[in-house]
Amino acid sequence: MPSRYIIDTSVLFQHPQILSRAGNRKLVIPRAVMEELSHRGKGSKWADIAELVASSIPTGVKIADAPENLKNDLIQSDRNAQRLSGADFDIARIAIAYAEEQGIDTPCVVTNDKALAYFLSSRNIKSITGSEFIGESKGDSLNKDIEDKAEKVVSSQRRYIFISFVLGVLASAAGNIVYSNIDLLVSTITVWGTMVGLPILGLALFWYRENFRLSYGAFEFCVGLIMSYYVFFPTFSYSGLGVTEGIQILGGLYVMVRGLDNVGKGVSGTRLEILWKKLF
């Protein structure tokens, strides 16, 4: 059995309960992973994981720096190495350093990143997924306090995902109601009121996107869908399609793609991230 388990960022988000195994197995978190947690976003989903890791350090979790020099260093021209991110480079360097100092069977990298796993296999270094690690450690005694904190993090992520999608759908429904009654609104709002209201609405939507990116992505996707559907309603007929309708459909499709891009960024750092990457 490996004596050092090096944990990747993706695994911490998918299986934060792994940290409760630190009393039985030597878990190593690269400092680059901690920096990634600190800089990848403002959302609580990032801060919760960073706080969980920090509270796990007294139980035996080690924060490790990547070594400056290796006997068998990574080569930038290596095609496998070119697919690695900065944090992945540090993870690989730490694993290689353990292999050089203590033997090839010493390190095991726990990652859901296929590119990193493929690179490590080219260096004969073992890697397993977070699910495989959980399966291997079923018989280990757990740190109850860390396990409970991890469960709260998972519950928080689930609430974030559910609330984000619900708010996105509700926001798009509200936008549809406004659009359906635009004539009434225009007749009751002065030109100056419109000129003042539009930039305020733009600022509000930007704030919405920056603070609730997943919800905004769902909202944007639904708006694009509604834009495209309005071409065919209330009467559905391909014979009526012209240049204007075609541009509206293309605009709706563009907005849907932008929405999916924001959804992808919104699920980053949650348990949906791996599924999203598999789908797209």
Side-chain angles (χ1 to χ4, degrees):
M1 185 177 75
S3 61
R4 297 288 188 283
Y5 290 90
I6 305 165
I7 313 298
D8 189 11
T9 313
S10 61
V11 172
L12 288 174
F13 287 120
Q14 289 289 307
H15 305 283
Q17 64 269 35
I18 278 177
L19 296 170
S20 66
R21 273 76 170 171
N24 302 276
R25 299 166 189 257
K26 295 182 179 179
L27 305 184
V28 178
I29 309 289
R31 193 170 300 280
V33 169
M34 294 299 295
E35 292 173 355
E36 194 171 35
L37 291 173
S38 301
H39 295 103
R40 280 181 68 178
K42 299 186 293 183
S44 62
K45 60 185 185 297
W46 302 97
D48 289 347
I49 296 293
E51 289 173 8
L52 182 62
V53 173
S55 64
S56 301
I57 292 175
T59 69
V61 173
K62 178 182 177 182
I63 307 299
D65 292 302
E68 294 183 3
N69 299 302
L70 295 170
K71 296 177 183 177
N72 186 22
D73 210 340
L74 282 71
I75 302 173
Q76 293 287 352
S77 60
D78 186 331
R79 295 180 65 181
N80 294 327
Q82 289 176 357
R83 301 172 63 189
L84 303 182
S85 67
D88 288 346
F89 257 97
D90 281 9
I91 291 169
R93 289 176 66 83
I94 291 171
I96 292 171
Y98 277 127
E100 289 178 350
E101 295 170 5
Q102 303 177 28
I104 197 66
D105 295 328
T106 298
C108 176
V109 176
V110 186
T111 181
N112 293 323
D113 188 326
K114 291 183 178 179
L116 177 57
Y118 186 79
F119 174 80
L120 293 169
S121 67
S122 71
R123 299 299 180 100
N124 296 317
I125 294 175
K126 181 181 178 181
S127 67
I128 59 175
T129 65
S131 298
E132 289 171 337
F133 180 90
I134 294 293
E136 287 184 7
S137 60
K138 274 186 176 179
D140 293 356
S141 59
L142 309 179
N143 183 302
K144 185 63 177 173
D145 181 51
I146 299 299
E147 182 77 5
D148 290 342
K149 289 180 180 178
E151 286 298 324
K152 289 179 181 178
V153 169
V154 172
S155 297
S156 175
Q157 287 189 7
R158 288 173 179 161
R159 284 195 302 272
Y160 164 76
I161 293 168
F162 176 77
I163 293 172
S164 292
F165 278 114
V166 170
L167 285 177
V169 172
L170 291 176
S172 60
N176 183 47
I177 292 171
V178 170
Y179 180 79
S180 299
N181 296 277
I182 192 68
D183 292 337
L184 176 62
L185 290 172
V186 170
S187 65
T188 56
I189 300 176
T190 65
V191 173
W192 287 106
T194 302
M195 292 177 66
V196 172
L198 284 176
I200 292 175
L201 179 61
L203 290 170
L205 287 172
F206 179 74
W207 177 88
Y208 179 29
R209 191 196 71 170
E210 290 298 293
N211 291 275
F212 302 96
R213 167 111 0 159
L214 178 55
S215 177
Y216 181 84
F219 160 71
E220 197 172 21
F221 179 83
C222 291
V223 167
L225 194 63
I226 292 169
M227 284 175 61
S228 300
Y229 279 176
Y230 264 118
V231 174
F232 304 103
F233 290 99
T235 58
F236 183 87
S237 174
Y238 285 115
S239 61
L241 290 179
V243 175
T244 302
E245 290 77 14
I247 291 174
Q248 184 175 337
I249 292 172
L250 288 175
L253 290 171
Y254 174 78
V255 173
M256 280 190 272
V257 172
R258 288 290 306 160
L260 290 173
D261 179 60
N262 280 307
V263 169
K265 291 175 180 176
V267 300
S268 179
T270 71
R271 296 167 68 83
L272 279 183
E273 182 177 7
I274 299 301
L275 175 61
W276 189 262
K277 288 183 177 179
K278 285 181 180 178
L279 291 174
F280 304 102

